[in-house]
């Protein structure tokens, strides 16, 4: 029987992708484009918008290369998870979350040429975003923690510093 390699990569990758897809299906079926539902008025709303670019609407319009970039990132991460070197749990989580976010937004780009966004934090005037964007940021945070953890846990010298 083949052992499932790196479940801490694949479980967040698949779970995150499912959450992203279900949330976007809900938004498309329940909202009209640009419709907004205040959850906490002037603080947090669900607002259905489409973004043809990347984060913060960079590269809006004419961004068909972004769909291929999403595909390449996902393909590279899947290969890394199957054949790459040993990963810590936080690295697995980080890459899994990034895979889910890239795949979720990539599917939007392939299907319709734009990404479905709906999480609207108005208190800080932040651009509208989606679950996939949250997953990518969680993944980056996990990778930063993975990088910094050895710095936090390395043994400290008992010798006094040189003057």
């Amino acid at each position: 029987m083949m052992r499932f390699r790196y479940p801490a990569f694949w479980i967040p990758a698949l779970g995150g992708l499912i959450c992203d897809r279900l949330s976007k299906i809900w938004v498309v079926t329940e909202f009209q484009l640009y419709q907004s539902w205040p959850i906490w008025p002037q603080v947090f709303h669900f607002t259905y918008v489409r973004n043809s670019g990347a984060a913060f609407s960079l590269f809006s319009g004419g961004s068909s290369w972004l769909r291929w970039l999403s595909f390449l990132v996902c393909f590279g991460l899947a290969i890394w998870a199957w054949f790459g070197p040993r990963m810590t749990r936080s690295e697995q989580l980080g890459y899994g979350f990034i895979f889910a976010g890239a795949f979720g937004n990539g599917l939007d780009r392939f299907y319709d040429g734009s990404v479905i966004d709906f999480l609207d934090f108005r208190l800080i005037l932040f651009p509208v975003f989606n679950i996939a964007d949250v997953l990518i940021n969680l993944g980056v945070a996990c990778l930063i923690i993975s990088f910094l953890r050895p710095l936090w846990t390395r043994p400290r010298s008992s010798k006094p510093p040189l003057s």
Side-chain angles (χ1 to χ4, degrees):
M1 182 169 107
M2 187 171 114
R3 188 165 178 258
F4 190 60
R5 186 170 187 213
Y6 294 135
F9 171 89
W10 293 106
I11 291 170
L14 297 175
L17 180 60
I18 290 168
C19 290
D20 179 64
R21 296 313 306 158
L22 290 176
S23 67
K24 289 173 179 175
I25 290 168
W26 172 73
V27 167
V28 169
T29 58
E30 295 296 323
F31 289 76
Q32 299 294 318
L33 191 59
Y34 305 115
Q35 182 181 0
S36 185
W37 288 357
I39 304 304
W40 184 357
Q42 302 307 315
V43 175
F44 177 70
H45 293 221
F46 288 138
T47 304
Y48 175 26
V49 297
R50 290 212 170 244
N51 179 2
S52 63
F56 304 102
S57 297
L58 294 174
F59 312 114
S60 289
S63 59
S64 64
W65 62 272
L66 284 171
R67 68 180 66 171
W68 295 106
L69 178 62
S70 296
F71 173 75
L72 288 173
V73 167
C74 293
F75 181 74
L77 288 173
I79 296 299
W80 185 260
W82 280 112
F83 303 110
R86 188 165 189 268
M87 288 190 274
T88 65
R89 185 168 306 269
S90 58
E91 288 172 325
Q92 293 174 53
L93 289 169
Y95 291 127
F97 286 136
I98 292 169
F99 177 92
F103 201 100
N105 282 343
L107 284 174
D108 285 355
R109 288 186 182 104
F110 267 100
Y111 179 71
D112 197 39
S114 63
V115 174
I116 298 164
D117 287 329
F118 61 95
L119 299 173
D120 184 5
F121 279 98
R122 294 182 176 192
L123 183 65
I124 56 174
L125 301 174
F126 200 76
V128 181
F129 58 101
N130 60 43
I131 301 296
D133 299 329
V134 172
L135 293 168
I136 290 169
N137 283 287
L138 278 173
V140 170
C142 288
L143 293 177
I144 290 170
I145 289 168
S146 177
F147 175 76
L148 293 176
R149 182 172 286 137
L151 301 175
W152 294 328
T153 60
R154 72 176 174 214
R156 297 177 191 251
S157 173
S158 60
K159 296 179 186 178
L162 297 174
S163 299

